[in-house]
Protein backbone atom coordinates (compact mmCIF):
# COMPACT_ATOMS: atom_id res chain seq x y z
CA UNK A 1 0.00 0.00 0.00
CA UNK A 2 0.97 3.64 -0.42
CA UNK A 3 1.66 4.74 3.10
CA UNK A 4 4.39 6.49 5.02
CA UNK A 5 5.77 3.13 6.10
CA UNK A 6 5.58 1.03 2.93
CA UNK A 7 9.32 0.27 2.95
CA UNK A 8 12.30 0.49 5.28
CA UNK A 9 13.52 3.63 3.49
CA UNK A 10 10.09 5.21 3.74
CA UNK A 11 9.90 4.35 7.44
CA UNK A 12 13.28 6.00 8.03
CA UNK A 13 12.23 9.12 6.11
CA UNK A 14 8.90 9.34 7.96
CA UNK A 15 10.58 8.93 11.34
CA UNK A 16 13.17 11.55 10.46
CA UNK A 17 10.44 14.02 9.47
CA UNK A 18 8.41 13.29 12.60
CA UNK A 19 11.43 13.94 14.82
CA UNK A 20 11.92 17.38 13.33
CA UNK A 21 8.95 18.59 15.35
CA UNK A 22 7.75 22.09 14.63
CA UNK A 23 10.98 23.13 12.92
CA UNK A 24 10.13 21.55 9.56
CA UNK A 25 9.28 23.48 6.43
CA UNK A 26 7.41 21.97 3.49
CA UNK A 27 7.29 23.60 0.09
CA UNK A 28 3.99 22.84 -1.59
CA UNK A 29 2.54 22.64 -5.04
CA UNK A 30 -1.24 22.70 -4.70
CA UNK A 31 -3.29 21.24 -7.53
CA UNK A 32 -6.92 22.28 -7.16
CA UNK A 33 -6.28 25.31 -4.95
CA UNK A 34 -9.76 26.84 -5.32
CA UNK A 35 -11.66 23.67 -4.41
CA UNK A 36 -12.47 22.25 -1.01
CA UNK A 37 -9.17 20.39 -0.51
CA UNK A 38 -7.20 23.35 -1.83
CA UNK A 39 -8.80 25.98 0.36
CA UNK A 40 -8.50 23.73 3.43
CA UNK A 41 -4.83 23.12 2.64
CA UNK A 42 -4.27 26.87 2.46
CA UNK A 43 -6.01 27.28 5.83
CA UNK A 44 -3.40 24.93 7.28
CA UNK A 45 -0.67 27.01 5.62
CA UNK A 46 -2.18 30.10 7.26
CA UNK A 47 -2.26 28.39 10.66
CA UNK A 48 1.40 27.30 10.37
CA UNK A 49 3.10 29.96 8.21
CA UNK A 50 6.60 29.00 9.35
CA UNK A 51 6.06 25.42 8.22
CA UNK A 52 4.63 25.85 4.72
CA UNK A 53 5.60 27.75 1.58
CA UNK A 54 3.35 27.62 -1.48
CA UNK A 55 5.42 27.37 -4.67
CA UNK A 56 2.66 26.61 -7.19
CA UNK A 57 -1.11 26.92 -7.43
CA UNK A 58 -3.32 25.26 -10.01
CA UNK A 59 -7.08 25.67 -10.36
CA UNK A 60 -9.98 25.12 -12.72
CA UNK A 61 -11.61 28.34 -13.93
CA UNK A 62 -11.97 30.42 -10.76
CA UNK A 63 -9.58 33.23 -11.71
CA UNK A 64 -10.99 35.57 -9.05
CA UNK A 65 -10.19 33.26 -6.13
CA UNK A 66 -6.86 32.20 -7.63
CA UNK A 67 -5.90 35.89 -7.95
CA UNK A 68 -6.55 36.35 -4.22
CA UNK A 69 -4.48 33.26 -3.47
CA UNK A 70 -1.60 34.43 -5.68
CA UNK A 71 -1.55 37.82 -3.96
CA UNK A 72 -1.42 36.16 -0.55
CA UNK A 73 0.91 33.18 -1.12
CA UNK A 74 3.14 34.53 -3.92
CA UNK A 75 3.71 31.25 -5.82
CA UNK A 76 6.23 30.91 -8.63
CA UNK A 77 3.60 29.30 -10.91
CA UNK A 78 -0.16 29.81 -11.22
CA UNK A 79 -2.16 27.70 -13.63
CA UNK A 80 -5.77 27.63 -14.77
CA UNK A 81 -7.70 25.23 -16.95
CA UNK A 82 -8.23 27.50 -19.96
CA UNK A 83 -6.26 30.25 -21.70
CA UNK A 84 -9.21 32.60 -21.11
CA UNK A 85 -9.13 32.00 -17.37
CA UNK A 86 -5.34 32.47 -17.36
CA UNK A 87 -5.76 35.81 -19.16
CA UNK A 88 -8.39 36.87 -16.62
CA UNK A 89 -5.97 35.94 -13.81
CA UNK A 90 -3.21 38.02 -15.39
CA UNK A 91 -5.54 41.01 -15.78
CA UNK A 92 -6.74 40.73 -12.18
CA UNK A 93 -3.19 40.55 -10.86
CA UNK A 94 -2.10 43.52 -12.94
CA UNK A 95 -5.12 45.52 -11.75
CA UNK A 96 -4.15 44.65 -8.15
CA UNK A 97 -0.55 45.80 -8.79
CA UNK A 98 0.81 42.34 -8.01
CA UNK A 99 4.46 42.78 -7.01
CA UNK A 100 5.31 39.08 -7.27
CA UNK A 101 3.82 38.07 -10.62
CA UNK A 102 4.00 34.30 -11.07
CA UNK A 103 4.47 32.49 -14.33
CA UNK A 104 0.88 32.10 -15.52
CA UNK A 105 0.04 28.98 -17.50
CA UNK A 106 -3.02 27.06 -18.63
CA UNK A 107 -4.23 23.62 -19.65
CA UNK A 108 -2.51 20.29 -19.05
CA UNK A 109 0.91 21.92 -19.51
CA UNK A 110 0.15 24.34 -16.71
CA UNK A 111 -0.91 21.58 -14.32
CA UNK A 112 2.26 19.64 -15.15
CA UNK A 113 4.42 22.71 -14.57
CA UNK A 114 2.76 23.26 -11.20
CA UNK A 115 3.16 19.59 -10.23
CA UNK A 116 6.84 19.56 -11.14
CA UNK A 117 7.95 23.02 -9.99
CA UNK A 118 11.55 22.54 -8.93
CA UNK A 119 11.30 24.06 -5.45
CA UNK A 120 8.29 22.12 -4.10
CA UNK A 121 8.93 18.94 -2.14
CA UNK A 122 5.27 17.96 -1.73
CA UNK A 123 2.39 18.01 -4.20
CA UNK A 124 -1.16 18.17 -2.87
CA UNK A 125 -3.44 16.67 -5.52
CA UNK A 126 -6.92 18.02 -5.01
CA UNK A 127 -8.05 18.05 -8.63
CA UNK A 128 -11.06 16.00 -9.62
CA UNK A 129 -11.06 12.85 -11.70
CA UNK A 130 -8.50 11.29 -13.98
CA UNK A 131 -6.99 14.74 -14.62
CA UNK A 132 -4.87 14.12 -11.52
CA UNK A 133 -3.15 11.01 -12.87
CA UNK A 134 -0.47 12.46 -15.18
CA UNK A 135 0.54 15.34 -12.86
CA UNK A 136 0.87 12.84 -10.01
CA UNK A 137 3.04 10.51 -12.10
CA UNK A 138 5.31 13.36 -13.18
CA UNK A 139 5.60 14.70 -9.62
CA UNK A 140 6.59 11.25 -8.38
CA UNK A 141 9.24 11.03 -11.12
CA UNK A 142 10.64 14.31 -9.78
CA UNK A 143 10.93 12.75 -6.31
CA UNK A 144 8.13 14.77 -4.74
CA UNK A 145 6.01 13.42 -1.91
CA UNK A 146 2.30 13.23 -2.73
CA UNK A 147 -0.60 14.27 -0.48
CA UNK A 148 -3.38 12.50 -2.35
CA UNK A 149 -6.98 13.69 -2.27
CA UNK A 150 -7.85 12.23 -5.66
CA UNK A 151 -9.00 8.60 -5.48
CA UNK A 152 -9.23 8.29 -9.26
CA UNK A 153 -5.46 8.50 -9.43
CA UNK A 154 -5.13 5.23 -7.52
CA UNK A 155 -8.23 3.62 -9.01
CA UNK A 156 -7.30 4.26 -12.63
CA UNK A 157 -3.53 4.35 -12.24
CA UNK A 158 -2.72 2.16 -9.25
CA UNK A 159 -0.73 -0.41 -11.24
CA UNK A 160 1.42 2.44 -12.60
CA UNK A 161 1.55 4.59 -9.45
CA UNK A 162 2.51 1.88 -6.94
CA UNK A 163 5.77 0.83 -8.67
CA UNK A 164 6.71 4.50 -9.13
CA UNK A 165 6.19 5.21 -5.42
CA UNK A 166 8.64 2.42 -4.63
CA UNK A 167 11.09 3.24 -7.43
CA UNK A 168 11.42 6.92 -6.51
CA UNK A 169 11.23 6.41 -2.73
CA UNK A 170 8.55 9.01 -2.15
CA UNK A 171 5.78 9.08 0.41
CA UNK A 172 2.16 9.03 -0.70
CA UNK A 173 -0.14 10.17 2.08
CA UNK A 174 -3.93 10.54 2.25
CA UNK A 175 -5.12 14.14 2.26
CA UNK A 176 -8.86 13.55 2.51
CA UNK A 177 -11.02 11.94 5.19
CA UNK A 178 -12.13 9.08 2.93
CA UNK A 179 -8.55 8.27 1.93
CA UNK A 180 -7.32 8.65 5.48
CA UNK A 181 -9.93 6.21 6.81
CA UNK A 182 -8.86 3.56 4.30
CA UNK A 183 -5.20 4.30 5.01
CA UNK A 184 -5.76 3.85 8.76
CA UNK A 185 -7.60 0.56 8.17
CA UNK A 186 -4.71 -0.75 6.07
CA UNK A 187 -1.98 0.12 8.57
CA UNK A 188 -0.36 -3.05 9.81
CA UNK A 189 -2.19 -5.28 7.32
CA UNK A 190 0.24 -7.79 5.77
CA UNK A 191 0.72 -7.55 2.03
Amino acid sequence: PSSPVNSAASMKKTLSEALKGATFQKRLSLLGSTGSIGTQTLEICDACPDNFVVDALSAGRNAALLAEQVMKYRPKIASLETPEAALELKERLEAANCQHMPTILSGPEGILAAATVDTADTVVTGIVGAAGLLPTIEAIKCGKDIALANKETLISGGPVIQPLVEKYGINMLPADSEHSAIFQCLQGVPQ
Side-chain angles (χ1 to χ4, degrees), residues 30-45:
L30 179 51
L31 310 182
S33 70
T34 61
S36 174
I37 294 295
T39 56
Q40 290 175 42
T41 298
L42 293 173
E43 288 174 12
I44 293 168
C45 294

Side-chain angles (χ1 to χ4, degrees), residues 63-73 89 93:
L65 181 53
L66 186 58
E68 291 175 23
Q69 292 173 346
V70 166
M71 293 295 290
K72 184 172 186 176
Y73 299 101
L89 173 63
L93 293 174

Side-chain angles (χ1 to χ4, degrees), residues 8-121:
S10 184
M11 172 69 138
K12 188 174 184 178
K13 182 177 180 183
T14 300
L15 181 58
S16 174
E17 289 295 316
L19 293 176
K20 287 182 182 177
T23 61
F24 75 92
Q25 185 177 74
K26 289 285 183 187
R27 300 190 70 94
L28 304 178
S29 170
L30 179 51
L31 310 182
S33 70
T34 61
S36 174
I37 294 295
T39 56
Q40 290 175 42
T41 298
L42 293 173
E43 288 174 12
I44 293 168
C45 294
D46 291 342
C48 306
D50 294 336
N51 300 115
F52 299 100
V53 175
V54 178
D55 287 326
L57 294 169
S58 176
R61 292 189 174 108
N62 192 341
L65 181 53
L66 186 58
E68 291 175 23
Q69 292 173 346
V70 166
M71 293 295 290
K72 184 172 186 176
Y73 299 101
R74 300 170 19 178
K76 293 169 64 172
I77 294 175
S79 173
L80 284 153
E81 186 176 343
T82 66
E84 296 79 16
L87 178 60
E88 180 184 344
L89 173 63
K90 183 175 189 257
E91 291 169 350
R92 286 177 177 273
L93 293 174
E94 288 171 347
N97 294 315
C98 180
Q99 298 299 306
H100 301 279
M101 187 68 76
T103 300
I104 299 173
L105 302 165
S106 65
E109 298 81 14
I111 295 172
L112 286 177
T116 60
V117 64
D118 60 346
T119 50
D121 52 49

